[in-house]
Amino acid sequence: MGIITLEKTDRLFWLGRYTERVYTTARLYARSYDHMIDALEDDYKNFCKAIDIPDIYGSKEVFLEKYPFDESDMNSLASNLQRAYDNAIELRYEIGSEVLAYIQLCVYDLQKAKESDAPMLEIQSLIDHIMAFWGTADDLIASEQIRDILKTGKRVERIDLYARLAFPVTDIRREVNRMKFRIAKSHINYKESVVKNIETLVETEPMDYYGIVREIENIL
Amino acid sequence: MDFKDFELCAHTNSINELLARYGVKFGIYKNNTFHERLFPFDAIPRIIEADEFSKLEKGLKQRVKALNLFIKDIYSDKKIVKDKVVPEDFIFASSGYMAECEGIMPSKGVYSHISGIDLVQGKNKEWYILEDNLRVPSGASYPMIARQLCRKSNPKTFEKYHLEDNRDYAKILRKTLDYVNVEGHTVILTPGRYNSAYFEHSYLSEQTGAHLVTGQDLFVEGDKLYYKDYNGEKARVGAVYRRISDDYLDPMNFVADSVIGVPHLFDVYRKGNVALLNAPGNGVADDKGIYYFVPKMIRYYLDEEPILQNAPTYLPFYEEDKKYVLEHFDDLVLKDVAEAGGYGVVFGSSMTKEEKEKFIEMLKKEPRRFIAQEVIDFLDIDIMDEGKVVPRKADLRAFVLTSDEPVVWKSGLTRFSRNPDSFIVNSSQGGGFKDTWVLLH
């Protein structure tokens, strides 16, 4: 593969982050969607709180319609997927058409979900296609360095989300461990001191979730 | 060969879905907003028999050879002007002529490395050249990927019919890039994802293995061009397949506020330290006004009769032609030489009385700005429209890649109009595309 420019490095990193953000929040939304069938009118507020986004919706119905599909809402699935796509579309040379195709398919899945009276079925396809994206990325991207940058983005985002969502300590520790090895192999410029701080934070009880979020956002 | 019941047609929708999956799109600006559109694919191929293609191949090579010699001559001795074969008005007044290119000899003496020649077939089965595109012609990637996907959807079709394999385009292109590379990496320079042909830039990059870069990735140091990585390490670039027009290539030499070019790139090129494909200044040879003179160029430089004919063309610049144009206005198609992409093309017969008067006034005032052509009675080709086979107008963009010798790609982009009443086939105007099959025997 040879030289990777600064801009492409940045795009690979953010492609990893946004893809992971869509994946984790789509899964959480799917779980919450089911829960909200039986729940009270304003139970959606718990979802907003959990993923740390403002409640701009006002009602369960508006939330269920807008959170996945509203492109003008910067926190929506659609906006995050668009950002993943915006990065992926500029990386055909680095990741290849086969891998890129899965991000394109996710965009179509979300469009279909928006037009469907059973949107969760299409959102399931979106989740499947993200998993296929990571599978083909592992299998087909020949450059280890590119895979490492992409996966560093994924790990960083996952730690950020898991900490915001107060995931179990063991899950966060596992992700920090994975990220630590991945980022070292990626050859990108990062702050080693931040990695050390996060390692300390995840070993301290009770876990300082917001401390982890603060540190991870500062890793590059 | 009758393809109306062809199995491939039954898979049109699934092939279009695969094209969508791989992001086979083009960009278009409408009301100042960028939109990505799928390029509609029709599965009925255009079929060219081996003998017929062989004649086309000879004619296209001949034309591109002459055009390359013309550009070389214009930026050096200008013999063709001195010998009064082409009037100087058509050179120096052309928007494609670049005084900055005077005296520059590009790597290996090639100017038009990738030439896109547009042709149409008349009902008399004769092929006519409509236009030469020697700057940044696009479109080869579409039939190339469409063939791949058609083979996937209908392998038996391709077992049955013996065709030239058009998936070798990237290999020919890579050879063309390597031939002129002076030393170092080969890159494809794109203006970015909001360019109408961005899919093609990125796909050709993947297929040729040439890095896809923007102007910000490149820099000039000590009269050489470099590519920098995220750690600041640099690597020399020896060939740039640029998909940026001349004006925006280098803000230090051309449009000063270009943010997509590379400062001093043209200086490196002038010193022979990088190859630019296609060479800057080629616009002087694909101007719609110059088109009229290409058969004369072939006779002048090659001492041969043109194998392929131009569409009958008139230059209002010449009094005699102007008289003919005014007398036969309703039978002609008029083209503004400065426009491209299907814009600036009007049919005399479709104008209102007021429009006609206004146009004629403009034509008399600026005769150099227009050419007029007889309306060719196109041979319609079949397309599938909502399950029915219907005839539509179509053209063919043939690609000629020049390294040590011109090579004609054994395929081409067939574009068709989806509107039954229109001759305009451009994607930007709603047209679709087909694969072009060249039979082996």
Side-chain angles (χ1 to χ4, degrees), chain B residues 382-423:
Chain B
D382 288 337
I383 70 157
M384 294 286 289
D385 186 27
E386 294 178 357
K388 285 186 196 153
V389 176
V390 293
R392 290 289 183 271
K393 305 295 177 211
D395 77 352
L396 169 68
R397 175 166 288 178
F399 288 87
V400 185
L401 283 81
T402 303
S403 46
D404 48 345
E405 275 297 313
V407 173
V408 180
W409 181 40
K410 291 187 167 65
S411 184
L413 173 68
T414 293
R415 298 176 299 179
F416 60 87
S417 167
R418 287 194 292 164
N419 177 349
D421 303 319
S422 175
F423 282 75

mmCIF file of all heavy atoms in Angstrom, chain B residues 382-423:
data_model
loop_
_atom_site.group_PDB
_atom_site.id
_atom_site.type_symbol
_atom_site.label_atom_id
_atom_site.label_comp_id
_atom_site.label_asym_id
_atom_site.label_seq_id
_atom_site.Cartn_x
_atom_site.Cartn_y
_atom_site.Cartn_z
ATOM 1 N N ASP B 382 -31.791 -0.437 -29.330
ATOM 2 C CA ASP B 382 -32.858 -0.884 -28.440
ATOM 3 C C ASP B 382 -32.471 -0.719 -26.979
ATOM 4 O O ASP B 382 -31.329 -0.992 -26.598
ATOM 5 C CB ASP B 382 -33.163 -2.369 -28.676
ATOM 6 C CG ASP B 382 -33.871 -2.581 -30.008
ATOM 7 O OD1 ASP B 382 -34.495 -1.616 -30.504
ATOM 8 O OD2 ASP B 382 -33.791 -3.700 -30.544
ATOM 9 N N ILE B 383 -33.460 -0.299 -26.199
ATOM 10 C CA ILE B 383 -33.293 -0.326 -24.742
ATOM 11 C C ILE B 383 -34.563 -0.946 -24.147
ATOM 12 O O ILE B 383 -35.598 -1.008 -24.804
ATOM 13 C CB ILE B 383 -33.046 1.073 -24.130
ATOM 14 C CG1 ILE B 383 -34.312 1.951 -24.194
ATOM 15 C CG2 ILE B 383 -31.897 1.786 -24.780
ATOM 16 C CD1 ILE B 383 -34.316 3.069 -23.167
ATOM 17 N N MET B 384 -34.441 -1.387 -22.901
ATOM 18 C CA MET B 384 -35.623 -1.886 -22.189
ATOM 19 C C MET B 384 -36.211 -0.718 -21.404
ATOM 20 O O MET B 384 -35.504 -0.072 -20.636
ATOM 21 C CB MET B 384 -35.231 -2.964 -21.173
ATOM 22 C CG MET B 384 -34.701 -4.235 -21.769
ATOM 23 S SD MET B 384 -35.979 -5.225 -22.527
ATOM 24 C CE MET B 384 -36.835 -5.794 -21.095
ATOM 25 N N ASP B 385 -37.486 -0.461 -21.618
ATOM 26 C CA ASP B 385 -38.154 0.602 -20.872
ATOM 27 C C ASP B 385 -39.436 0.019 -20.276
ATOM 28 O O ASP B 385 -40.363 -0.307 -21.021
ATOM 29 C CB ASP B 385 -38.463 1.770 -21.821
ATOM 30 C CG ASP B 385 -39.027 2.965 -21.087
ATOM 31 O OD1 ASP B 385 -38.722 3.131 -19.893
ATOM 32 O OD2 ASP B 385 -39.789 3.732 -21.698
ATOM 33 N N GLU B 386 -39.434 -0.121 -18.975
ATOM 34 C CA GLU B 386 -40.571 -0.730 -18.256
ATOM 35 C C GLU B 386 -41.012 -2.032 -18.906
ATOM 36 O O GLU B 386 -42.193 -2.248 -19.211
ATOM 37 C CB GLU B 386 -41.729 0.265 -18.166
ATOM 38 C CG GLU B 386 -41.357 1.463 -17.301
ATOM 39 C CD GLU B 386 -42.450 2.511 -17.211
ATOM 40 O OE1 GLU B 386 -43.485 2.336 -17.858
ATOM 41 O OE2 GLU B 386 -42.235 3.487 -16.487
ATOM 42 N N GLY B 387 -40.031 -2.879 -19.184
ATOM 43 C CA GLY B 387 -40.320 -4.220 -19.696
ATOM 44 C C GLY B 387 -40.520 -4.300 -21.203
ATOM 45 O O GLY B 387 -40.656 -5.383 -21.755
ATOM 46 N N LYS B 388 -40.520 -3.150 -21.858
ATOM 47 C CA LYS B 388 -40.707 -3.169 -23.321
ATOM 48 C C LYS B 388 -39.414 -2.751 -24.003
ATOM 49 O O LYS B 388 -38.670 -1.922 -23.488
ATOM 50 C CB LYS B 388 -41.794 -2.168 -23.721
ATOM 51 C CG LYS B 388 -43.199 -2.622 -23.407
ATOM 52 C CD LYS B 388 -44.166 -1.605 -23.983
ATOM 53 C CE LYS B 388 -45.536 -1.821 -23.362
ATOM 54 N NZ LYS B 388 -46.318 -0.611 -23.334
ATOM 55 N N VAL B 389 -39.192 -3.318 -25.196
ATOM 56 C CA VAL B 389 -38.019 -2.919 -25.967
ATOM 57 C C VAL B 389 -38.410 -1.728 -26.831
ATOM 58 O O VAL B 389 -39.383 -1.802 -27.595
ATOM 59 C CB VAL B 389 -37.530 -4.094 -26.845
ATOM 60 C CG1 VAL B 389 -36.375 -3.656 -27.731
ATOM 61 C CG2 VAL B 389 -37.106 -5.261 -25.968
ATOM 62 N N VAL B 390 -37.686 -0.627 -26.661
ATOM 63 C CA VAL B 390 -38.008 0.582 -27.429
ATOM 64 C C VAL B 390 -36.718 1.155 -28.036
ATOM 65 O O VAL B 390 -35.640 0.975 -27.476
ATOM 66 C CB VAL B 390 -38.678 1.665 -26.537
ATOM 67 C CG1 VAL B 390 -40.045 1.217 -26.075
ATOM 68 C CG2 VAL B 390 -37.795 2.014 -25.344
ATOM 69 N N PRO B 391 -36.823 1.835 -29.182
ATOM 70 C CA PRO B 391 -35.616 2.416 -29.800
ATOM 71 C C PRO B 391 -35.278 3.783 -29.197
ATOM 72 O O PRO B 391 -36.180 4.548 -28.875
ATOM 73 C CB PRO B 391 -36.032 2.562 -31.269
ATOM 74 C CG PRO B 391 -37.518 2.715 -31.239
ATOM 75 C CD PRO B 391 -38.026 2.030 -30.011
ATOM 76 N N ARG B 392 -33.993 4.023 -29.048
ATOM 77 C CA ARG B 392 -33.549 5.322 -28.519
ATOM 78 C C ARG B 392 -32.258 5.761 -29.223
ATOM 79 O O ARG B 392 -31.508 4.938 -29.735
ATOM 80 C CB ARG B 392 -33.258 5.229 -27.015
ATOM 81 C CG ARG B 392 -34.476 5.059 -26.134
ATOM 82 C CD ARG B 392 -35.326 6.324 -26.074
ATOM 83 N NE ARG B 392 -36.451 6.189 -25.166
ATOM 84 C CZ ARG B 392 -37.651 5.726 -25.497
ATOM 85 N NH1 ARG B 392 -37.886 5.341 -26.744
ATOM 86 N NH2 ARG B 392 -38.633 5.644 -24.605
ATOM 87 N N LYS B 393 -31.998 7.064 -29.166
ATOM 88 C CA LYS B 393 -30.755 7.604 -29.724
ATOM 89 C C LYS B 393 -29.591 7.242 -28.794
ATOM 90 O O LYS B 393 -29.770 7.242 -27.566
ATOM 91 C CB LYS B 393 -30.813 9.134 -29.830
ATOM 92 C CG LYS B 393 -32.002 9.665 -30.612
ATOM 93 C CD LYS B 393 -31.950 9.260 -32.053
ATOM 94 C CE LYS B 393 -33.187 9.740 -32.800
ATOM 95 N NZ LYS B 393 -33.545 8.814 -33.893
ATOM 96 N N ALA B 394 -28.442 6.983 -29.386
ATOM 97 C CA ALA B 394 -27.278 6.620 -28.555
ATOM 98 C C ALA B 394 -25.990 7.060 -29.237
ATOM 99 O O ALA B 394 -25.944 7.200 -30.464
ATOM 100 C CB ALA B 394 -27.258 5.109 -28.340
ATOM 101 N N ASP B 395 -24.973 7.290 -28.450
ATOM 102 C CA ASP B 395 -23.651 7.515 -29.043
ATOM 103 C C ASP B 395 -22.674 6.511 -28.452
ATOM 104 O O ASP B 395 -23.066 5.641 -27.653
ATOM 105 C CB ASP B 395 -23.183 8.969 -28.851
ATOM 106 C CG ASP B 395 -22.684 9.282 -27.444
ATOM 107 O OD1 ASP B 395 -22.830 8.421 -26.547
ATOM 108 O OD2 ASP B 395 -22.155 10.382 -27.228
ATOM 109 N N LEU B 396 -21.448 6.605 -28.871
ATOM 110 C CA LEU B 396 -20.411 5.706 -28.364
ATOM 111 C C LEU B 396 -19.187 6.541 -28.044
ATOM 112 O O LEU B 396 -18.708 7.288 -28.901
ATOM 113 C CB LEU B 396 -20.051 4.657 -29.423
ATOM 114 C CG LEU B 396 -18.804 3.804 -29.127
ATOM 115 C CD1 LEU B 396 -19.041 2.877 -27.939
ATOM 116 C CD2 LEU B 396 -18.409 2.971 -30.347
ATOM 117 N N ARG B 397 -18.703 6.437 -26.809
ATOM 118 C CA ARG B 397 -17.418 7.062 -26.507
ATOM 119 C C ARG B 397 -16.359 5.978 -26.545
ATOM 120 O O ARG B 397 -16.375 5.050 -25.732
ATOM 121 C CB ARG B 397 -17.418 7.763 -25.157
ATOM 122 C CG ARG B 397 -16.040 8.309 -24.798
ATOM 123 C CD ARG B 397 -16.054 9.284 -23.665
ATOM 124 N NE ARG B 397 -16.662 10.558 -24.090
ATOM 125 C CZ ARG B 397 -16.838 11.596 -23.295
ATOM 126 N NH1 ARG B 397 -16.436 11.529 -22.036
ATOM 127 N NH2 ARG B 397 -17.388 12.708 -23.729
ATOM 128 N N ALA B 398 -15.473 6.088 -27.538
ATOM 129 C CA ALA B 398 -14.371 5.129 -27.650
ATOM 130 C C ALA B 398 -13.157 5.710 -26.928
ATOM 131 O O ALA B 398 -12.965 6.933 -26.911
ATOM 132 C CB ALA B 398 -14.045 4.898 -29.118
ATOM 133 N N PHE B 399 -12.368 4.843 -26.329
ATOM 134 C CA PHE B 399 -11.187 5.306 -25.601
ATOM 135 C C PHE B 399 -9.916 4.832 -26.295
ATOM 136 O O PHE B 399 -9.778 3.640 -26.595
ATOM 137 C CB PHE B 399 -11.218 4.796 -24.155
ATOM 138 C CG PHE B 399 -12.260 5.492 -23.338
ATOM 139 C CD1 PHE B 399 -13.561 5.030 -23.308
ATOM 140 C CD2 PHE B 399 -11.961 6.651 -22.636
ATOM 141 C CE1 PHE B 399 -14.544 5.691 -22.580
ATOM 142 C CE2 PHE B 399 -12.936 7.324 -21.907
ATOM 143 C CZ PHE B 399 -14.224 6.841 -21.871
ATOM 144 N N VAL B 400 -9.037 5.801 -26.555
ATOM 145 C CA VAL B 400 -7.760 5.491 -27.188
ATOM 146 C C VAL B 400 -6.671 5.892 -26.203
ATOM 147 O O VAL B 400 -6.597 7.050 -25.786
ATOM 148 C CB VAL B 400 -7.581 6.271 -28.509
ATOM 149 C CG1 VAL B 400 -6.302 5.845 -29.210
ATOM 150 C CG2 VAL B 400 -8.790 6.078 -29.417
ATOM 151 N N LEU B 401 -5.854 4.925 -25.798
ATOM 152 C CA LEU B 401 -4.801 5.195 -24.822
ATOM 153 C C LEU B 401 -3.455 5.131 -25.513
ATOM 154 O O LEU B 401 -3.139 4.126 -26.170
ATOM 155 C CB LEU B 401 -4.877 4.199 -23.657
ATOM 156 C CG LEU B 401 -6.003 4.519 -22.658
ATOM 157 C CD1 LEU B 401 -7.336 4.020 -23.159
ATOM 158 C CD2 LEU B 401 -5.712 3.931 -21.316
ATOM 159 N N THR B 402 -2.701 6.205 -25.364
ATOM 160 C CA THR B 402 -1.458 6.301 -26.125
ATOM 161 C C THR B 402 -0.243 6.196 -25.213
ATOM 162 O O THR B 402 -0.054 7.012 -24.314
ATOM 163 C CB THR B 402 -1.415 7.635 -26.899
ATOM 164 O OG1 THR B 402 -2.571 7.704 -27.732
ATOM 165 C CG2 THR B 402 -0.162 7.722 -27.761
ATOM 166 N N SER B 403 0.554 5.156 -25.458
ATOM 167 C CA SER B 403 1.872 5.088 -24.816
ATOM 168 C C SER B 403 2.877 5.105 -25.966
ATOM 169 O O SER B 403 2.981 6.128 -26.649
ATOM 170 C CB SER B 403 2.001 3.859 -23.907
ATOM 171 O OG SER B 403 1.524 2.698 -24.522
ATOM 172 N N ASP B 404 3.599 3.996 -26.229
ATOM 173 C CA ASP B 404 4.483 4.027 -27.387
ATOM 174 C C ASP B 404 3.674 4.064 -28.684
ATOM 175 O O ASP B 404 4.094 4.633 -29.679
ATOM 176 C CB ASP B 404 5.474 2.849 -27.356
ATOM 177 C CG ASP B 404 4.787 1.527 -27.072
ATOM 178 O OD1 ASP B 404 3.616 1.529 -26.623
ATOM 179 O OD2 ASP B 404 5.402 0.478 -27.298
ATOM 180 N N GLU B 405 2.479 3.472 -28.650
ATOM 181 C CA GLU B 405 1.559 3.460 -29.795
ATOM 182 C C GLU B 405 0.145 3.650 -29.262
ATOM 183 O O GLU B 405 -0.145 3.265 -28.130
ATOM 184 C CB GLU B 405 1.625 2.098 -30.496
ATOM 185 C CG GLU B 405 2.730 1.942 -31.523
ATOM 186 C CD GLU B 405 2.592 2.888 -32.703
ATOM 187 O OE1 GLU B 405 1.479 2.990 -33.251
ATOM 188 O OE2 GLU B 405 3.598 3.541 -33.046
ATOM 189 N N PRO B 406 -0.755 4.204 -30.063
ATOM 190 C CA PRO B 406 -2.139 4.283 -29.577
ATOM 191 C C PRO B 406 -2.788 2.895 -29.513
ATOM 192 O O PRO B 406 -2.571 2.075 -30.407
ATOM 193 C CB PRO B 406 -2.857 5.144 -30.617
ATOM 194 C CG PRO B 406 -1.865 5.520 -31.638
ATOM 195 C CD PRO B 406 -0.577 4.822 -31.373
ATOM 196 N N VAL B 407 -3.528 2.658 -28.434
ATOM 197 C CA VAL B 407 -4.248 1.388 -28.269
ATOM 198 C C VAL B 407 -5.734 1.731 -28.110
ATOM 199 O O VAL B 407 -6.079 2.576 -27.285
ATOM 200 C CB VAL B 407 -3.770 0.644 -26.996
ATOM 201 C CG1 VAL B 407 -4.623 -0.598 -26.729
ATOM 202 C CG2 VAL B 407 -2.301 0.267 -27.115
ATOM 203 N N VAL B 408 -6.567 1.093 -28.896
ATOM 204 C CA VAL B 408 -8.005 1.351 -28.771
ATOM 205 C C VAL B 408 -8.587 0.296 -27.841
ATOM 206 O O VAL B 408 -8.420 -0.910 -28.070
ATOM 207 C CB VAL B 408 -8.702 1.303 -30.144
ATOM 208 C CG1 VAL B 408 -10.200 1.587 -29.990
ATOM 209 C CG2 VAL B 408 -8.069 2.302 -31.108
ATOM 210 N N TRP B 409 -9.222 0.746 -26.794
ATOM 211 C CA TRP B 409 -9.871 -0.177 -25.844
ATOM 212 C C TRP B 409 -11.032 -0.879 -26.557
ATOM 213 O O TRP B 409 -11.869 -0.209 -27.171
ATOM 214 C CB TRP B 409 -10.385 0.623 -24.646
ATOM 215 C CG TRP B 409 -11.047 -0.185 -23.574
ATOM 216 C CD1 TRP B 409 -10.656 -1.389 -23.106
ATOM 217 C CD2 TRP B 409 -12.205 0.188 -22.830
ATOM 218 N NE1 TRP B 409 -11.503 -1.799 -22.106
ATOM 219 C CE2 TRP B 409 -12.467 -0.852 -21.918
ATOM 220 C CE3 TRP B 409 -13.052 1.303 -22.832
ATOM 221 C CZ2 TRP B 409 -13.542 -0.813 -21.028
ATOM 222 C CZ3 TRP B 409 -14.112 1.347 -21.942
ATOM 223 C CH2 TRP B 409 -14.347 0.296 -21.053
ATOM 224 N N LYS B 410 -11.046 -2.201 -26.455
ATOM 225 C CA LYS B 410 -12.039 -2.955 -27.226
ATOM 226 C C LYS B 410 -13.376 -2.996 -26.481
ATOM 227 O O LYS B 410 -13.846 -4.044 -26.054
ATOM 228 C CB LYS B 410 -11.515 -4.349 -27.532
ATOM 229 C CG LYS B 410 -10.350 -4.322 -28.521
ATOM 230 C CD LYS B 410 -9.951 -5.703 -28.953
ATOM 231 C CE LYS B 410 -9.028 -5.702 -30.142
ATOM 232 N NZ LYS B 410 -7.728 -5.121 -29.929
ATOM 233 N N SER B 411 -13.944 -1.840 -26.339
ATOM 234 C CA SER B 411 -15.262 -1.674 -25.731
ATOM 235 C C SER B 411 -15.603 -0.196 -25.906
ATOM 236 O O SER B 411 -15.269 0.382 -26.954
ATOM 237 C CB SER B 411 -15.229 -2.059 -24.251
ATOM 238 O OG SER B 411 -16.515 -1.987 -23.685
ATOM 239 N N GLY B 412 -16.197 0.410 -24.926
ATOM 240 C CA GLY B 412 -16.533 1.828 -25.007
ATOM 241 C C GLY B 412 -17.780 2.083 -24.201
ATOM 242 O O GLY B 412 -18.462 1.154 -23.778
ATOM 243 N N LEU B 413 -18.020 3.363 -23.980
ATOM 244 C CA LEU B 413 -19.215 3.743 -23.213
ATOM 245 C C LEU B 413 -20.322 4.096 -24.198
ATOM 246 O O LEU B 413 -20.188 5.052 -24.961
ATOM 247 C CB LEU B 413 -18.894 4.950 -22.331
ATOM 248 C CG LEU B 413 -20.081 5.567 -21.591
ATOM 249 C CD1 LEU B 413 -20.618 4.622 -20.517
ATOM 250 C CD2 LEU B 413 -19.699 6.906 -20.961
ATOM 251 N N THR B 414 -21.385 3.293 -24.186
ATOM 252 C CA THR B 414 -22.550 3.632 -25.009
ATOM 253 C C THR B 414 -23.545 4.363 -24.121
ATOM 254 O O THR B 414 -23.995 3.824 -23.116
ATOM 255 C CB THR B 414 -23.188 2.360 -25.599
ATOM 256 O OG1 THR B 414 -22.263 1.799 -26.530
ATOM 257 C CG2 THR B 414 -24.495 2.682 -26.316
ATOM 258 N N ARG B 415 -23.830 5.599 -24.475
ATOM 259 C CA ARG B 415 -24.792 6.388 -23.707
ATOM 260 C C ARG B 415 -26.056 6.547 -24.544
ATOM 261 O O ARG B 415 -25.961 6.715 -25.768
ATOM 262 C CB ARG B 415 -24.225 7.778 -23.399
ATOM 263 C CG ARG B 415 -22.963 7.726 -22.556
ATOM 264 C CD ARG B 415 -22.370 9.107 -22.335
ATOM 265 N NE ARG B 415 -21.990 9.736 -23.592
ATOM 266 C CZ ARG B 415 -21.471 10.948 -23.695
ATOM 267 N NH1 ARG B 415 -21.280 11.674 -22.617
ATOM 268 N NH2 ARG B 415 -21.139 11.454 -24.861
ATOM 269 N N PHE B 416 -27.197 6.496 -23.894
ATOM 270 C CA PHE B 416 -28.432 6.641 -24.659
ATOM 271 C C PHE B 416 -29.358 7.657 -23.993
ATOM 272 O O PHE B 416 -29.266 7.912 -22.788
ATOM 273 C CB PHE B 416 -29.149 5.288 -24.818
ATOM 274 C CG PHE B 416 -29.539 4.640 -23.521
ATOM 275 C CD1 PHE B 416 -30.747 4.930 -22.903
ATOM 276 C CD2 PHE B 416 -28.677 3.730 -22.903
ATOM 277 C CE1 PHE B 416 -31.113 4.328 -21.709
ATOM 278 C CE2 PHE B 416 -29.033 3.126 -21.707
ATOM 279 C CZ PHE B 416 -30.247 3.428 -21.108
ATOM 280 N N SER B 417 -30.227 8.180 -24.812
ATOM 281 C CA SER B 417 -31.228 9.105 -24.291
ATOM 282 C C SER B 417 -32.419 8.287 -23.829
ATOM 283 O O SER B 417 -32.856 7.376 -24.515
ATOM 284 C CB SER B 417 -31.649 10.059 -25.407
ATOM 285 O OG SER B 417 -32.800 10.750 -25.005
ATOM 286 N N ARG B 418 -32.936 8.614 -22.649
ATOM 287 C CA ARG B 418 -34.131 7.886 -22.199
ATOM 288 C C ARG B 418 -35.408 8.554 -22.715
ATOM 289 O O ARG B 418 -36.480 7.987 -22.676
ATOM 290 C CB ARG B 418 -34.127 7.801 -20.663
ATOM 291 C CG ARG B 418 -33.064 6.799 -20.198
ATOM 292 C CD ARG B 418 -33.238 6.417 -18.760
ATOM 293 N NE ARG B 418 -32.963 7.549 -17.894
ATOM 294 C CZ ARG B 418 -33.329 7.602 -16.626
ATOM 295 N NH1 ARG B 418 -33.995 6.612 -16.086
ATOM 296 N NH2 ARG B 418 -33.032 8.664 -15.892
ATOM 297 N N ASN B 419 -35.226 9.775 -23.182
ATOM 298 C CA ASN B 419 -36.354 10.519 -23.734
ATOM 299 C C ASN B 419 -36.484 10.179 -25.226
ATOM 300 O O ASN B 419 -35.550 10.394 -25.997
ATOM 301 C CB ASN B 419 -36.059 12.012 -23.531
ATOM 302 C CG ASN B 419 -37.112 12.897 -24.113
ATOM 303 O OD1 ASN B 419 -37.983 12.445 -24.853
ATOM 304 N ND2 ASN B 419 -37.026 14.179 -23.795
ATOM 305 N N PRO B 420 -37.643 9.655 -25.675
ATOM 306 C CA PRO B 420 -37.765 9.234 -27.073
ATOM 307 C C PRO B 420 -37.590 10.378 -28.072
ATOM 308 O O PRO B 420 -37.262 10.146 -29.238
ATOM 309 C CB PRO B 420 -39.186 8.653 -27.156
ATOM 310 C CG PRO B 420 -39.905 9.121 -25.945
ATOM 311 C CD PRO B 420 -38.873 9.397 -24.897
ATOM 312 N N ASP B 421 -37.785 11.624 -27.620
ATOM 313 C CA ASP B 421 -37.704 12.746 -28.563
ATOM 314 C C ASP B 421 -36.365 13.479 -28.500
ATOM 315 O O ASP B 421 -36.209 14.540 -29.091
ATOM 316 C CB ASP B 421 -38.825 13.761 -28.254
ATOM 317 C CG ASP B 421 -40.187 13.097 -28.317
ATOM 318 O OD1 ASP B 421 -40.380 12.282 -29.244
ATOM 319 O OD2 ASP B 421 -41.025 13.361 -27.431
ATOM 320 N N SER B 422 -35.421 12.931 -27.750
ATOM 321 C CA SER B 422 -34.184 13.682 -27.549
ATOM 322 C C SER B 422 -32.975 12.995 -28.176
ATOM 323 O O SER B 422 -32.884 11.777 -28.233
ATOM 324 C CB SER B 422 -33.938 13.861 -26.047
ATOM 325 O OG SER B 422 -32.699 14.472 -25.841
ATOM 326 N N PHE B 423 -32.045 13.843 -28.630
ATOM 327 C CA PHE B 423 -30.769 13.354 -29.160
ATOM 328 C C PHE B 423 -29.676 13.462 -28.092
ATOM 329 O O PHE B 423 -28.561 13.049 -28.300
ATOM 330 C CB PHE B 423 -30.335 14.221 -30.352
ATOM 331 C CG PHE B 423 -31.068 13.914 -31.632
ATOM 332 C CD1 PHE B 423 -32.373 14.324 -31.826
ATOM 333 C CD2 PHE B 423 -30.438 13.213 -32.651
ATOM 334 C CE1 PHE B 423 -33.041 14.055 -33.003
ATOM 335 C CE2 PHE B 423 -31.101 12.936 -33.838
ATOM 336 C CZ PHE B 423 -32.412 13.356 -34.018
#
